[in-house]
Amino acid sequence: MTLPEIAKLGHVALITPDLEKSLWFFRDVIGLEVTEEKEETIYMRAWGDFEHHTFSLKAGEKARVDHIGWKAKRPEDVQGFALLLEKAGTDVEWVKAGEETGQGEAIRFKLPSQHAFEIYYDMDKPLAEEDKRSVLKNQRYKSWRKGISPRRIDHVNIATSMDISQIHDYLADQLGFKLREYVSGESEPMKAAWLSVTNLVHDIALSPRPNAATPNQFHHISYWLDDSQDLLRAADILSEQGIKFIGPGKHGISQALYLYVMDPGSGCRVELFSGGYLIFEPDWEPIVWTEEERSVGNTYWGDTVQDKEENQLTIEA
Amino acid sequence: MTLPEIAKLGHVALITPDLEKSLWFFRDVIGLEVTEEKEETIYMRAWGDFEHHTFSLKAGEKARVDHIGWKAKRPEDVQGFALLLEKAGTDVEWVKAGEETGQGEAIRFKLPSQHAFEIYYDMDKPLAEEDKRSVLKNQRYKSWRKGISPRRIDHVNIATSMDISQIHDYLADQLGFKLREYVSGESEPMKAAWLSVTNLVHDIALSPRPNAATPNQFHHISYWLDDSQDLLRAADILSEQGIKFIGPGKHGISQALYLYVMDPGSGCRVELFSGGYLIFEPDWEPIVWTEEERSVGNTYWGDTVQDKEENQLTIEA
Amino acid sequence: MTLPEIAKLGHVALITPDLEKSLWFFRDVIGLEVTEEKEETIYMRAWGDFEHHTFSLKAGEKARVDHIGWKAKRPEDVQGFALLLEKAGTDVEWVKAGEETGQGEAIRFKLPSQHAFEIYYDMDKPLAEEDKRSVLKNQRYKSWRKGISPRRIDHVNIATSMDISQIHDYLADQLGFKLREYVSGESEPMKAAWLSVTNLVHDIALSPRPNAATPNQFHHISYWLDDSQDLLRAADILSEQGIKFIGPGKHGISQALYLYVMDPGSGCRVELFSGGYLIFEPDWEPIVWTEEERSVGNTYWGDTVQDKEENQLTIEA
Amino acid sequence: MTLPEIAKLGHVALITPDLEKSLWFFRDVIGLEVTEEKEETIYMRAWGDFEHHTFSLKAGEKARVDHIGWKAKRPEDVQGFALLLEKAGTDVEWVKAGEETGQGEAIRFKLPSQHAFEIYYDMDKPLAEEDKRSVLKNQRYKSWRKGISPRRIDHVNIATSMDISQIHDYLADQLGFKLREYVSGESEPMKAAWLSVTNLVHDIALSPRPNAATPNQFHHISYWLDDSQDLLRAADILSEQGIKFIGPGKHGISQALYLYVMDPGSGCRVELFSGGYLIFEPDWEPIVWTEEERSVGNTYWGDTVQDKEENQLTIEA
């Protein structure tokens, strides 16, 4: 039997204690488009995303990521993963078609770190409303309609108090993620890791958060901008709204430019992301950064990620 | 048995009647790095390419592309493709390890259009010489060392007088390429096509050249730049060298920015390329452009590709 | 007595036969801010303009530029110019303070080519409404609020069927403009000219239009964008609105990047402008371009200005 | 009599204890062009500078700025300034034509803070050597030939332990500089100031350095880049050379983007500068920033200027 495979990151489902403020932030400041509002959930996507949603917002007492959705490569892979995961001792819960709007039958389960994942295959790819629709046939919405206006979802970064290499192994062995870059510690083989199933350097990153109260921490969701100048424009837009951020800077790891900004409604961190490299090599050897090299890996140049108050807040995933 | 798969575009081997001028163009103007010179072949790559070469130059009487190299996904896929292709009636020629410098055992064969392809798996990934080496562990050369300084090879575009859909079928059926976008004519189902095995919109494009003397025409090789501003900088650099080009403009198809420039040594066209979208969807439905929509597909805005003298010259592949 | 001097280009007052469409174009697509609507005139400016208006719209039967406003260097220079111009045989008409909203006492007069100019000194510099106000003390509006979002007015280009050198002489001798670059013809000493009173290469350009029905033709008003990438973003925004344009390209003369687009309401051409050089030299020797060099002067690279239908329409000034 | 006027910043003459390293930095990394070497002085300029030099290097025991050169508006203004300054009690020293290569007769004198200024009018504007010459008639060198490749000199920033307002008064009263922006302290009326004679926000800035051993400190020389993306490219180039820098960031004051980097040979700081606004208003009211607002004035966003070790080093002017 062909092993089931994940094709791509699908979406992040965020619970926010301040729906109004989070909606303002993601819709008006970041500039995501609202696809649909249904049963108290607001489904959103970037102008270049094709699927029904890459992000959703729902009100809740406490900010947290409800689940991270991944699209399987083939229709039968949802069932395939269910079997494989259960066999490996993971509890799998089925989600009925339509329970998440636009989405077919899916499964949900938790990583050893208790991060909630979802795997689906079927997902609507609705066109945009006519007045918002791009004149290009290969693009859903007109670009640059509002706010920062990123093109598409890029990746997620999850944090944990657990041993990173253990989570890496689960992602690699059960879900087929390939290790692209990692930081090795003196005593630990893996202190942070970047993995992907696509040509991106990472669809998911694993960050250490040794003193977190729970192992299932969420670090950030990332949206992509085509040009580095778009990131500088984002810095202007955020500053005019009185919203603080970290960046601009350039990661050594991934070589991408970044801006980190927090949703004032939920505390969920968003990374605006541009540039970087792609990995086409099937025989890729993971890049290893030592503890000493880590600061260059984090910030090659620019405003540093480290030691900023803005970087200490956290929500669970 | 698992079907053999292609992982990525590897390289283009160019024969030029004016080696000195072509070398000047690709090394000093485009800014490729020379990896090695051996047996009258000069092997080159961009600063962000990992493999030994993504381009090579060799002197010859007439300008032509000797072959287009593709990297297989697994070591056994070279043999796998050999069996499969021979079974399908394609003549397969084996290339010994080292015959092409840095490369392991490979096969060569011709498309029905007589375009020469090569499939390899093993390829050296040498570091750069120390004085040219990047301080980043995931990057071969320092960027911006000279000339236009593209990051990496992006795609090839081949042209033919044959029925495009026939070549498409061969690429799809024998080699596993997926159709991403295409132009449909009134009488012909397919007048131009963009296909890929990666998340790029195209690793290869098929262009019509109905009146060409031979069916195996080469349209261009493309190198990638991270930012659209890099393309405008390229326009300055080319202009200062007195080299004409087409662009800048934006394709509707692929949504990428372009600049087309011809190697004055060989007449081989190079597309400098930036922006555009990626395809992560396993259930991608090819975008179809009608004859009428084709001009927007070719040039969404900017300097048009059509009807320029510079666009009429051609070499064989 | 100190000669009166012009400090800068102030504004362009446009009459449009389709106020609604012109308002949509300048406010929503170009992204100018409306300062005030008074007595059927809509006063506008860019987010980085300080004065009350740099552009105004008023309905009228036929599209035309009512006048081009220039700010004098000293309060007494308005009177100074009045005396000087009358002495030189130019009819001068006084405009009362407040007749043009936000503006003090001013004079209006016509060039030999019948282009209507206005010279003022006093002009309000209102802050933006609070919700639109920049957090920066040296900037009126938040940038990037909407549309293309240029920073400021840059220059005007007027066209005429008259001898260009005659208009140049008037601008130089009566108004103190300095010649920066020009095109010389075989039989005519001056076929096009770029002049300024500031460090810009031109605050005003003179273009030939030999066959125009009247000598007072308007070529375009130009707004400035900080980055060349902003111009490419403008190209996306215009394309999504189905608005055609010329560009992007780079002028040899001025070295600036351009995009030419026409207000669909009036036919008034707008040049979006970025880059280029500044002239600080008091002993500047005008750059002369021969007829032969003119095409490089017009379009160093990119989409050419010449021979486009979009470039043939014209309005009077 | 017409008061003498300064037209623009001319050049900075730097003495360096490590000529070889400084030459490498300014010529190969920053990318300035060497116009001439004469009598142990190396004269340099950017590709878009017109005059013979905007920077010079000479070996000396201790790093210091020998003088800052300013171009007068009219030939007679050199003499005019001499008379005016002497009348005001300033010692004026005459520099013979040719003593500084390419330059006519000039005067040198010291500010009350002991910063050495030079005023000249005549200066050669040599073309570039043919192989380096731009194809554009209004541009000296081909752009993008090497290194960071800035377009032109922009401004100087001098620091002092003296009362800033006293230096401001001297610049305004004796030399005609106009105050554009300043920081006001609680007890002091002026803690930092930005002044210009051109449309730039500043040709010169005054920075406090209360504890400096001497009052004549040099803060930095600045070179201009057209696009913000050019600044990010500069960050890559510097990083690849192992050279640390501050930025990228955006000033509130001037609204320009910055990168601060130190010449490893002399410790002389260079600001790479892009964007920002121009001042055309003759009735400009200086923007005042309170102590509290100062941090936004210094760094609107990005990597902050404050409290970096790299920012503490200093040389005299």
Side-chain angles (χ1 to χ4, degrees):
Chain A
M1 193 198 83
T2 311
L3 279 179
E5 288 179 69
I6 289 175
K8 62 159 210 160
L9 171 62
H11 55 265
V12 170
L14 182 67
I15 309 297
T16 176
D18 190 337
L19 185 62
E20 198 182 350
K21 196 173 271 182
S22 290
L23 182 58
W24 167 78
F25 178 74
F26 283 100
R27 185 190 56 196
D28 298 340
V29 180
I30 299 295
L32 298 186
E33 301 283 355
V34 173
T35 321
E36 199 168 353
E37 290 196 47
K38 203 168 171 182
E39 286 160 21
E40 301 187 326
T41 303
I42 303 169
Y43 295 95
M44 307 173 85
R45 56 179 171 171
W47 56 262
D49 284 327
F50 294 97
E51 292 198 323
H52 180 271
H53 56 279
T54 56
F55 184 70
S56 67
L57 274 179
K58 192 175 181 175
E61 225 167 297
K62 196 181 144 198
R64 65 182 180 81
V65 168
D66 183 71
H67 66 271
I68 299 168
W70 301 90
K71 185 179 183 95
K73 197 164 173 187
R74 307 168 204 87
E76 64 270 25
D77 284 353
V78 179
Q79 173 71 25
F81 273 119
L83 291 172
L84 210 74
L85 291 166
E86 280 176 335
K87 208 163 140 189
T90 301
D91 288 335
V92 170
E93 180 196 347
W94 282 86
V95 181
K96 287 200 189 106
E99 201 170 303
E100 188 169 321
T101 306
Q103 183 176 284
E105 209 177 34
I107 56 168
R108 291 202 189 150
F109 59 97
K110 292 192 170 175
L111 303 192
S113 53
Q114 302 305 305
H115 290 89
F117 272 27
E118 179 180 71
I119 296 178
Y120 68 92
Y121 178 79
D122 285 312
M123 177 70 86
D124 291 347
K125 294 178 184 166
L127 294 182
E129 300 92 308
E130 216 174 324
D131 61 317
K132 301 178 183 167
R133 194 176 301 164
S134 175
V135 299
L136 290 172
K137 301 185 84 166
N138 51 12
Q139 186 176 313
R140 283 297 178 260
Y141 297 84
K142 293 177 198 306
S143 51
W144 307 118
R145 283 190 64 241
K146 57 190 171 121
I148 290 166
S149 200
R151 174 187 280 275
R152 59 167 173 80
I153 194 171
D154 192 87
H155 67 265
V156 288
N157 185 320
I158 60 175
T160 186
S161 54
M162 283 181 64
D163 177 10
I164 294 283
S165 64
Q166 195 187 337
I167 312 305
H168 161 268
D169 291 351
Y170 188 91
L171 291 176
D173 299 343
Q174 305 305 321
L175 302 174
F177 282 90
K178 283 162 276 183
L179 183 63
R180 304 311 202 164
E181 307 206 32
Y182 67 101
V183 177
S184 74
E186 274 183 40
S187 50
E188 297 147 289
M190 198 176 281
K191 296 206 68 169
W194 288 257
L195 306 97
S196 70
V197 289
T198 65
N199 295 134
L200 301 180
V201 173
H202 65 316
D203 300 310
I204 187 166
L206 306 176
S207 293
R209 195 165 282 163
N211 305 316
T214 64
N216 54 319
Q217 303 282 309
F218 188 73
H219 198 285
H220 64 259
I221 177 175
S222 173
Y223 276 88
W224 169 267
L225 292 156
D226 284 352
D227 275 280
S228 55
Q229 153 71 1
D230 303 337
L231 220 73
L232 306 185
R233 181 176 166 272
D236 281 343
I237 291 173
L238 292 169
S239 298
E240 287 288 14
Q241 296 299 337
I243 300 173
K244 287 191 177 178
F245 54 88
I246 294 171
K250 182 172 181 167
H251 293 305
I253 294 163
S254 85
Q255 298 175 25
L257 300 178
Y258 61 80
L259 216 71
Y260 289 100
V261 57
M262 214 163 260
D263 164 24
S266 69
C268 178
R269 194 179 291 107
V270 176
E271 183 180 26
L272 299 167
F273 205 67
S274 188
Y277 72 106
L278 297 174
I279 298 175
F280 299 105
E281 278 69 23
D283 50 353
W284 182 254
E285 286 180 43
I287 308 287
V288 53
W289 303 74
T290 65
E291 279 277 9
E292 221 168 33
E293 296 163 337
R294 190 185 183 167
S295 73
V296 168
N298 280 344
T299 299
Y300 181 43
W301 50 252
D303 192 30
T304 51
V305 174
Q306 271 84 20
D307 307 326
K308 302 247 172 163
E309 197 188 335
E310 295 92 320
N311 209 19
Q312 303 312 319
L313 297 175
T314 180
I315 64 170
E316 289 184 8
Chain B
M1 193 198 86
T2 311
L3 281 177
E5 289 178 68
I6 289 176
K8 61 157 209 163
L9 170 63
H11 55 267
V12 170
L14 183 68
I15 309 299
T16 176
D18 190 336
L19 186 63
E20 198 182 350
K21 196 172 274 183
S22 290
L23 182 57
W24 167 77
F25 178 73
F26 283 101
R27 185 190 56 196
D28 299 341
V29 181
I30 300 294
L32 297 187
E33 301 283 354
V34 173
T35 321
E36 201 167 350
E37 291 195 47
K38 204 168 171 181
E39 286 159 23
E40 301 187 327
T41 303
I42 303 169
Y43 295 95
M44 306 172 86
R45 56 179 171 171
W47 56 261
D49 284 327
F50 294 97
E51 292 198 323
H52 180 269
H53 56 279
T54 56
F55 184 72
S56 67
L57 274 179
K58 192 175 181 175
E61 223 167 297
K62 194 180 144 200
R64 66 180 178 84
V65 169
D66 183 71
H67 66 271
I68 300 168
W70 301 90
K71 186 180 182 93
K73 197 166 172 186
R74 307 168 204 86
E76 64 271 24
D77 285 353
V78 179
Q79 171 71 24
F81 272 119
L83 291 173
L84 211 73
L85 290 165
E86 281 177 335
K87 208 164 139 189
T90 301
D91 287 336
V92 170
E93 179 196 348
W94 282 88
V95 181
K96 285 200 191 111
E99 201 169 305
E100 185 168 324
T101 306
Q103 183 177 284
E105 207 178 36
I107 57 169
R108 290 200 192 155
F109 59 97
K110 293 193 171 175
L111 302 193
S113 53
Q114 301 307 305
H115 289 90
F117 272 28
E118 178 180 73
I119 296 178
Y120 68 92
Y121 178 80
D122 284 313
M123 177 69 87
D124 290 347
K125 295 178 185 167
L127 292 183
E129 300 91 310
E130 214 174 328
D131 61 318
K132 300 179 184 169
R133 193 176 303 163
S134 175
V135 298
L136 289 173
K137 302 185 82 166
N138 50 12
Q139 185 176 314
R140 282 298 180 260
Y141 297 83
K142 293 179 200 302
S143 51
W144 306 117
R145 283 190 64 241
K146 56 188 171 124
I148 289 166
S149 201
R151 174 188 280 276
R152 58 167 173 80
I153 194 172
D154 192 87
H155 66 266
V156 287
N157 185 321
I158 60 175
T160 187
S161 55
M162 283 182 64
D163 177 10
I164 294 284
S165 64
Q166 194 186 338
I167 312 307
H168 160 268
D169 291 352
Y170 188 90
L171 291 176
D173 299 344
Q174 305 303 323
L175 301 174
F177 283 90
K178 283 162 277 182
L179 182 62
R180 304 312 201 164
E181 306 206 32
Y182 67 102
V183 176
S184 74
E186 273 182 41
S187 50
E188 297 148 289
M190 198 176 279
K191 295 206 68 170
W194 289 256
L195 306 95
S196 70
V197 289
T198 65
N199 295 135
L200 301 180
V201 172
H202 64 315
D203 300 310
I204 187 165
L206 306 176
S207 293
R209 195 166 281 164
N211 305 318
T214 63
N216 54 321
Q217 303 284 308
F218 188 71
H219 198 284
H220 65 258
I221 177 176
S222 172
Y223 276 88
W224 169 267
L225 293 157
D226 285 352
D227 275 280
S228 54
Q229 153 72 359
D230 303 338
L231 219 74
L232 306 185
R233 181 176 165 272
D236 281 343
I237 290 173
L238 293 169
S239 298
E240 287 289 14
Q241 297 299 336
I243 300 172
K244 287 192 179 180
F245 53 88
I246 295 172
K250 181 173 181 166
H251 293 304
I253 294 164
S254 83
Q255 298 175 26
L257 300 178
Y258 61 81
L259 217 70
Y260 289 100
V261 57
M262 214 162 260
D263 164 25
S266 69
C268 178
R269 194 179 291 107
V270 176
E271 182 180 26
L272 299 167
F273 204 67
S274 188
Y277 72 105
L278 298 173
I279 298 175
F280 298 105
E281 278 69 22
D283 49 354
W284 181 255
E285 288 180 42
I287 307 288
V288 53
W289 303 74
T290 65
E291 279 278 11
E292 218 170 33
E293 296 163 337
R294 191 186 182 167
S295 73
V296 168
N298 279 346
T299 298
Y300 181 43
W301 50 251
D303 192 29
T304 52
V305 174
Q306 271 86 21
D307 309 324
K308 302 247 173 166
E309 197 189 336
E310 295 93 321
N311 210 21
Q312 303 311 319
L313 298 174
T314 181
I315 64 171
E316 289 184 9
Chain C
M1 194 199 81
T2 311
L3 279 177
E5 288 178 68
I6 289 176
K8 63 158 209 160
L9 171 62
H11 55 265
V12 170
L14 181 67
I15 309 297
T16 176
D18 190 338
L19 185 62
E20 198 182 350
K21 197 173 272 182
S22 289
L23 182 57
W24 167 77
F25 178 72
F26 282 101
R27 185 190 56 196
D28 299 340
V29 179
I30 299 293
L32 298 186
E33 300 283 355
V34 173
T35 321
E36 200 168 351
E37 291 196 46
K38 204 169 172 182
E39 287 160 21
E40 301 187 328
T41 303
I42 302 169
Y43 295 96
M44 307 173 84
R45 55 179 171 171
W47 57 261
D49 284 326
F50 294 97
E51 293 199 322
H52 181 271
H53 56 279
T54 55
F55 184 71
S56 67
L57 273 179
K58 192 176 180 173
E61 226 167 296
K62 196 182 144 197
R64 65 180 179 85
V65 168
D66 183 72
H67 66 270
I68 299 169
W70 300 91
K71 185 179 183 96
K73 197 165 173 186
R74 308 168 204 87
E76 63 271 24
D77 284 352
V78 179
Q79 172 71 25
F81 272 119
L83 290 172
L84 211 74
L85 291 166
E86 280 177 336
K87 209 163 141 188
T90 301
D91 288 334
V92 169
E93 180 197 347
W94 283 86
V95 181
K96 286 200 188 109
E99 201 170 304
E100 188 169 323
T101 306
Q103 183 176 283
E105 210 177 32
I107 56 169
R108 291 203 190 151
F109 60 98
K110 293 192 169 174
L111 302 191
S113 52
Q114 301 305 306
H115 289 91
F117 272 28
E118 179 180 71
I119 296 177
Y120 68 92
Y121 177 78
D122 286 311
M123 178 68 87
D124 290 348
K125 295 178 184 165
L127 293 182
E129 300 92 309
E130 216 174 325
D131 60 317
K132 301 178 183 168
R133 193 176 302 163
S134 174
V135 299
L136 289 172
K137 300 185 84 166
N138 51 12
Q139 185 176 313
R140 283 297 179 260
Y141 297 83
K142 293 179 200 305
S143 50
W144 307 118
R145 283 190 64 241
K146 55 188 172 125
I148 288 165
S149 200
R151 174 187 279 275
R152 59 167 173 80
I153 194 171
D154 192 86
H155 66 267
V156 287
N157 185 320
I158 60 176
T160 187
S161 54
M162 284 183 63
D163 177 8
I164 293 282
S165 63
Q166 194 186 338
I167 312 305
H168 161 268
D169 291 352
Y170 188 91
L171 290 176
D173 300 344
Q174 306 304 323
L175 302 175
F177 282 89
K178 284 162 276 184
L179 183 63
R180 304 311 202 166
E181 307 206 33
Y182 68 101
V183 177
S184 74
E186 274 183 39
S187 51
E188 297 147 291
M190 197 175 280
K191 296 206 67 170
W194 288 257
L195 306 96
S196 70
V197 290
T198 65
N199 295 135
L200 301 180
V201 172
H202 66 316
D203 300 310
I204 187 166
L206 305 176
S207 292
R209 195 166 283 164
N211 305 316
T214 64
N216 54 320
Q217 302 283 307
F218 188 73
H219 198 285
H220 64 258
I221 177 175
S222 172
Y223 276 88
W224 169 268
L225 292 157
D226 285 352
D227 276 280
S228 55
Q229 152 71 0
D230 303 337
L231 220 73
L232 306 185
R233 182 178 166 270
D236 281 343
I237 291 173
L238 292 170
S239 299
E240 286 289 14
Q241 296 299 336
I243 300 172
K244 287 191 178 179
F245 54 88
I246 295 171
K250 182 172 180 166
H251 293 305
I253 294 164
S254 85
Q255 298 175 25
L257 301 178
Y258 60 80
L259 215 71
Y260 290 100
V261 57
M262 214 162 260
D263 164 25
S266 68
C268 178
R269 194 178 290 107
V270 176
E271 182 180 27
L272 299 167
F273 204 67
S274 187
Y277 71 106
L278 297 174
I279 298 175
F280 299 105
E281 278 68 22
D283 50 354
W284 182 254
E285 287 180 44
I287 308 287
V288 53
W289 303 74
T290 65
E291 280 278 10
E292 219 169 36
E293 297 163 336
R294 191 187 183 167
S295 73
V296 168
N298 279 344
T299 299
Y300 181 44
W301 51 250
D303 192 30
T304 51
V305 174
Q306 270 85 20
D307 308 324
K308 302 247 173 166
E309 196 188 338
E310 296 92 321
N311 209 21
Q312 304 311 319
L313 298 174
T314 179
I315 63 171
E316 289 184 8
Chain D
M1 192 198 85
T2 311
L3 280 177
E5 288 179 69
I6 289 175
K8 62 157 210 161
L9 171 63
H11 55 265
V12 169
L14 182 67
I15 309 297
T16 175
D18 190 337
L19 185 62
E20 197 182 351
K21 196 173 273 182
S22 289
L23 183 57
W24 167 77
F25 178 73
F26 282 101
R27 184 190 57 195
D28 299 340
V29 181
I30 299 294
L32 298 186
E33 301 283 356
V34 173
T35 320
E36 199 168 351
E37 290 196 47
K38 203 168 172 181
E39 286 159 23
E40 300 187 328
T41 303
I42 304 168
Y43 296 96
M44 307 173 87
R45 56 179 171 171
W47 56 261
D49 284 327
F50 294 97
E51 293 198 323
H52 180 270
H53 57 278
T54 55
F55 184 71
S56 68
L57 273 179
K58 191 176 182 175
E61 223 167 298
K62 195 182 144 198
R64 67 181 177 83
V65 169
D66 182 72
H67 66 270
I68 300 168
W70 300 90
K71 185 179 183 93
K73 197 166 173 184
R74 307 168 203 88
E76 64 270 25
D77 285 353
V78 178
Q79 172 71 24
F81 273 119
L83 292 173
L84 210 74
L85 290 166
E86 282 176 333
K87 208 163 141 190
T90 301
D91 288 336
V92 170
E93 179 196 348
W94 282 87
V95 181
K96 286 200 189 109
E99 199 168 307
E100 186 167 324
T101 306
Q103 183 177 285
E105 206 178 36
I107 56 169
R108 289 200 192 154
F109 60 97
K110 293 193 170 175
L111 302 193
S113 52
Q114 301 306 304
H115 289 89
F117 272 27
E118 178 181 71
I119 296 178
Y120 68 93
Y121 178 80
D122 285 312
M123 177 69 86
D124 290 347
K125 294 178 186 166
L127 293 183
E129 300 91 311
E130 216 173 327
D131 61 318
K132 300 178 184 169
R133 195 177 301 164
S134 175
V135 299
L136 289 172
K137 302 185 83 166
N138 51 12
Q139 185 176 313
R140 283 297 179 261
Y141 297 84
K142 293 180 199 303
S143 51
W144 306 118
R145 283 190 63 240
K146 56 189 171 123
I148 289 166
S149 200
R151 174 187 278 276
R152 59 167 173 79
I153 194 171
D154 192 87
H155 66 266
V156 287
N157 185 320
I158 60 175
T160 187
S161 54
M162 282 182 65
D163 177 8
I164 294 282
S165 64
Q166 195 187 335
I167 312 306
H168 160 268
D169 291 353
Y170 187 91
L171 291 176
D173 299 344
Q174 305 303 323
L175 301 175
F177 282 91
K178 283 162 277 183
L179 182 62
R180 303 313 200 163
E181 306 206 33
Y182 68 102
V183 177
S184 74
E186 272 182 39
S187 50
E188 297 148 288
M190 198 175 279
K191 297 205 68 168
W194 289 257
L195 305 97
S196 70
V197 290
T198 66
N199 295 136
L200 301 180
V201 172
H202 65 314
D203 300 310
I204 186 166
L206 306 176
S207 292
R209 195 166 280 165
N211 304 317
T214 63
N216 54 322
Q217 303 284 307
F218 188 72
H219 199 283
H220 64 259
I221 177 176
S222 172
Y223 276 88
W224 169 268
L225 293 157
D226 285 353
D227 275 280
S228 55
Q229 153 70 0
D230 304 338
L231 220 73
L232 306 185
R233 181 176 165 271
D236 281 343
I237 290 173
L238 293 170
S239 298
E240 287 289 14
Q241 297 299 337
I243 300 172
K244 287 191 177 180
F245 54 87
I246 294 172
K250 180 172 182 167
H251 293 305
I253 294 163
S254 84
Q255 297 176 25
L257 300 179
Y258 61 81
L259 217 70
Y260 289 100
V261 57
M262 213 162 260
D263 164 25
S266 69
C268 177
R269 194 179 290 107
V270 176
E271 183 180 25
L272 299 167
F273 204 66
S274 187
Y277 71 106
L278 297 173
I279 297 176
F280 299 104
E281 278 69 22
D283 50 354
W284 182 255
E285 288 180 42
I287 307 289
V288 53
W289 303 74
T290 65
E291 279 278 10
E292 220 169 33
E293 296 163 337
R294 190 184 183 169
S295 72
V296 168
N298 280 345
T299 299
Y300 180 43
W301 51 251
D303 192 29
T304 51
V305 174
Q306 271 85 21
D307 309 325
K308 303 247 173 164
E309 198 189 334
E310 295 92 323
N311 209 21
Q312 303 310 318
L313 298 174
T314 181
I315 64 171
E316 287 184 10

